[in-house]
Amino acid sequence: MIKVTVFYPNTEGKKFDMEYYCNKHIPMIQGKMGEALKDVAVEEGLGGAEPGSLATYRAMGHLYFESVEAFQTAFTPQAEEIMGDIPNYTDIQPLIQISEVKI
Amino acid sequence: MIKVTVFYPNTEGKKFDMEYYCNKHIPMIQGKMGEALKDVAVEEGLGGAEPGSLATYRAMGHLYFESVEAFQTAFTPQAEEIMGDIPNYTDIQPLIQISEVKI
């Protein structure tokens, strides 16, 4: 199983509409990816390790697929529409990583 | 539910022993945290969004707790021993974030 993580760095002065992200963007992705998308997860940053410190990421979204190929096959034809929805909830430049799920 | 994520940046020349991490470090944490630790997850970075690009994080570990307080209560008395095990699998300086699970 692989996981595609979209990190939204916690940049001062930037917006992130968590309600839109959870209730519009993620369901839209689920609708477009279909059965290739095995699971999703979303978190909102609370803080760093030190009490009172800022979280590195304002939000993180995780999409699970069977393989990198399954992700690419499902995502590529929908990429333009999915990416086009980003300005509706944030002006943060996201960082993306693909990982292999070990546990 | 909250999630404590430990990010290991993908720094050139650094080591990360995934086998030790999954088979020794994580089980040790599970033993020490007991029922306060609701779930764990581990991933290994494969790459970034662009084909051939490096993953930002070599590895990520995730620990789930009911609340920040539950995490602190379970972790604080064990912190020294858990942190002391880190050099056994990596010389990467980890980054930690606490997040609220939204989905």
Side-chain angles (χ1 to χ4, degrees), chain A residues 1-5 33-43 61-67 70-71 99-101 103, chain B residues 3 41-43 62 64 103:
Chain A
M1 185 83 77
I2 66 107
K3 172 176 164 175
V4 178
T5 301
M33 301 283 101
E35 292 190 359
L37 180 58
K38 297 304 178 191
D39 202 2
V40 299
V42 171
E43 294 111 33
H62 313 275
L63 308 174
Y64 294 82
F65 297 87
E66 280 299 341
S67 65
F71 158 63
S99 307
E100 187 185 337
V101 175
I103 295 181
Chain B
K3 172 175 166 176
V42 170
E43 294 111 32
H62 312 277
Y64 294 82
I103 293 180

Side-chain angles (χ1 to χ4, degrees), chain A residues 8-67:
Chain A
Y8 295 89
N10 203 358
T11 315
E12 207 179 341
K14 297 282 188 179
K15 70 162 185 171
F16 190 93
D17 184 340
M18 184 57 84
E19 194 180 318
Y20 186 96
Y21 188 65
C22 289
N23 299 320
K24 301 278 184 186
H25 187 70
I26 294 290
M28 185 263 268
I29 290 176
Q30 289 174 310
K32 291 190 176 299
M33 301 283 101
E35 292 190 359
L37 180 58
K38 297 304 178 191
D39 202 2
V40 299
V42 171
E43 294 111 33
E44 183 167 16
L46 292 176
E50 302 299 317
S53 63
L54 281 182
T56 302
Y57 299 109
R58 174 89 164 265
M60 291 183 273
H62 313 275
L63 308 174
Y64 294 82
F65 297 87
E66 280 299 341
S67 65

Side-chain angles (χ1 to χ4, degrees), chain A residues 53-101:
Chain A
S53 63
L54 281 182
T56 302
Y57 299 109
R58 174 89 164 265
M60 291 183 273
H62 313 275
L63 308 174
Y64 294 82
F65 297 87
E66 280 299 341
S67 65
V68 174
E69 294 67 32
F71 158 63
Q72 287 167 339
T73 302
F75 182 73
T76 305
Q78 313 285 352
E80 198 177 323
E81 206 165 339
I82 291 173
M83 305 298 267
D85 189 45
I86 296 178
N88 290 326
Y89 62 88
T90 193
D91 53 358
I92 297 171
Q93 178 70 36
L95 175 73
I96 294 170
Q97 164 156 348
I98 302 174
S99 307
E100 187 185 337
V101 175

Side-chain angles (χ1 to χ4, degrees), chain B residues 22-69:
Chain B
C22 289
N23 298 321
K24 301 278 184 188
H25 186 70
I26 294 289
M28 185 262 267
I29 291 176
Q30 288 173 311
K32 291 190 175 300
M33 301 282 102
E35 292 191 359
L37 180 58
K38 299 304 180 193
D39 202 0
V40 300
V42 170
E43 294 111 32
E44 182 167 18
L46 293 177
E50 302 298 318
S53 63
L54 281 181
T56 302
Y57 299 109
R58 174 89 164 263
M60 292 183 274
H62 312 277
L63 308 173
Y64 294 82
F65 298 87
E66 281 297 344
S67 65
V68 175
E69 294 67 31

